[in-house]
Amino acid sequence: MTLYPQLILDALKNVRYPGTGKDLVEMGMVEDNIRIDGMNVTFSLLFEKPNDPFIRSVVKAAETAILTYVSPEVNIKGNITVKARQLARPEPDKLLPQVKNIIAVSSGKGGVGKSTVAANLAVALAGMGYKVGLLDADIFGPSQPKMFHVEEARPYMVEVDGRELIEPIENYGVKMLSIGFFVNKEDAILWRGAMASNALKQLIGDANWGELDYFLIDLPPGTSDIHLTMVQTLAITGAIVVSTPQEVALADARKGISMFTGEKVNVPVLGLIENMSWFTPAELPENRYYLFGKEGCRRLAEELDIPLLGQIPIVQSICEGGDQGEPVALNPETMTGAAFRELAENLVGQIDYRNAHLAPTERVHVTKGGH
Ligand code: ADP
């Protein structure tokens, strides 16, 4: 018997792609490269995604169809190659193409001031003249609406180039969206990983962020599915890790750092930020009381060979600023405002340095320590 491509195609018309009622030829899944060499047949099947759950069963069914409808003599087993239309990792730069730098703000544990730092850093960067966006991705305690005094705000939809997009809320020169605008706090905590991840993807991809110099993401504390989703969805420039100088916090910060630098995530750590470094009473600005130990983050930063981007003291006004929705960074002439301004300058400097000196693919690796 002489084989020719149409015979193979006719056989493949008997194989339906699950759930569609259509056959493989109709679906355009058979690539136009059927090669025949005696009884040897090879070709490729094109799937939408590399992790299509039906790859194995469809390939098996295609083999069976050829053996049944063409001839049991055809040598087809193992000759069908599988290709995917989509890349395994989404092209991250297609999302937020107008955003220059995406910074993940994280912490090993809760309550160390990650959200406070994210809010003040955003305000400080805006104060320096940059275009800044902030996504509150902390589903366990979305606090940015309060910190920006926009708790009552409800984002509306706008049409941009024929697409309906969520318009971020803007205050203090920062465009901001929070999961807290869309669900109440009690419900957010109950969200399963996938639900939260999908909601966050929408707040990134379906929002009118426009052109930004810095896009900060206030991540949930610790390590979670959300972190993985974010790094898979976005081309993150780097992560910054907030910790207090306390030993227990440092241990968790270390875990957070190794997650970012690990194989699976592979995001450079731009630096550590020490929060609650010392207590300074407003009336005695020269006095420093090291409540949580001294220079803990500096030691960790040196050990892991990552920059310490800033030290923020414990000051009542920082806490009050958060509660009242007026971040202290709005006033860079105050002691606390200046601390956040310096932090913002160091972060910008660190990113500029990396852009100038490192190839885009180069990553900061933790050389010592680890777990
Ligand atoms: P996280 O996001 O890590 O859970 P938050 O930013 O919500 O932490 O901060 C926890 C609490 O500590 C808040 O009440 C905040 O106002 C307060 N806080 C954070 N940093 C400081 C600081 N440097 N000085 C005083 N209070 C602070």
Side-chain angles (χ1 to χ4, degrees), residues 69-147:
Y69 294 98
V70 183
S71 155
E73 306 293 309
V74 177
N75 186 10
I76 183 70
K77 284 261 159 69
N79 284 358
I80 301 177
T81 20
V82 170
K83 290 185 182 174
R85 279 188 234 272
Q86 276 176 24
L87 294 173
R89 217 180 139 162
E91 284 280 307
D93 48 358
K94 285 204 184 118
L95 270 182
L96 305 180
Q98 295 168 283
V99 173
K100 290 193 188 129
N101 298 288
I102 304 176
I103 315 293
V105 185
S106 70
S107 69
K109 66 193 215 75
V112 298
K114 168 183 55 62
S115 301
T116 305
V117 168
N120 280 286
L121 187 55
V123 169
L125 287 166
M128 288 157 71
Y130 294 110
K131 295 195 184 93
V132 183
L134 172 62
L135 173 67
D136 182 5
D138 190 348
I139 50 160
F140 304 112
S143 48
Q144 297 303 349
K146 189 175 180 66
M147 298 214 192

